[in-house]
Amino acid sequence: MFRSAFKHNRCLIPVSGYYEWQDTPDGKQPWYFTARNGLPVLTIAGLWDEWKDKASGETLKSCTMMITEPNKFVAEVHDRMPVLLVEKDYEPWLSGKAGLDLLKPAAENMLQRWPVSKRVNSSRAPDDHPTLIDRVPL
């Protein structure tokens, strides 16, 4: 499905952090993951493509994040994680010089996490509301 995009349409997806959900007896608990080193941005390996919407005929662009198995830190919460790249890997990823060798879990010391409100799960919560990444007590 993504063979052509993997060869020709790679991208970098900058994020301040990402959520993962942990199954608990009280339901799914969201956790916020962000850079441990204080950097404001994590960079996720991605693929992009263009496609034509059959209903409207409009050409659309979309992208997907590359996902891999979790490192031990993330595995405490979830069974997968995004492929997080470090600066030295940007050019090899984008140019195609690097391939599957970069699709691995991040270093154990790269991330920090904390529990956040289950409001993250609500379609009524504004997508960009800053309180959605506030730490909550468990």
Side-chain angles (χ1 to χ4, degrees):
M1 180 181 215
F2 294 107
R3 184 174 294 144
S4 178
F6 187 81
K7 289 181 181 178
H8 307 290
N9 297 352
R10 296 179 180 195
C11 63
L12 302 175
I13 303 170
V15 299
S16 57
Y18 68 94
Y19 300 100
E20 291 293 3
W21 283 258
Q22 181 180 34
D23 287 324
T24 71
D26 295 327
K28 291 189 178 270
Q29 172 59 53
W31 291 80
Y32 183 68
F33 287 81
T34 191
R36 179 178 287 186
N37 61 8
L39 291 177
V41 175
L42 293 168
T43 303
I44 300 172
L47 303 174
W48 68 272
D49 208 350
E50 288 183 341
W51 52 283
K52 188 168 275 200
D53 183 301
K54 291 179 182 176
S56 69
E58 181 181 4
T59 299
L60 302 172
K61 291 184 182 189
S62 61
C63 69
T64 189
M65 296 185 296
M66 300 301 293
I67 304 297
T68 190
E69 64 189 14
N71 61 23
K72 290 178 184 172
F73 180 71
V74 174
E76 294 171 2
V77 172
H78 202 66
D79 63 354
R80 62 184 179 267
M81 69 182 298
V83 173
L84 299 171
L85 299 177
V86 295
E87 190 171 353
K88 71 176 182 57
D89 296 328
Y90 297 173
E91 191 282 326
W93 172 252
L94 291 172
S95 69
K97 292 177 188 169
L100 297 177
D101 52 311
L102 290 181
L103 304 183
K104 61 185 183 216
E108 293 297 329
N109 63 351
M110 187 175 195
L111 297 170
Q112 62 181 330
R113 69 174 185 247
W114 55 82
V116 295
S117 169
K118 292 183 180 182
R119 284 188 324 113
V120 168
N121 299 335
S122 172
S123 60
R124 295 181 192 165
D127 292 340
D128 60 352
H129 201 277
T131 62
L132 295 178
I133 62 171
D134 287 350
R135 182 184 311 262
V136 298
L138 289 181

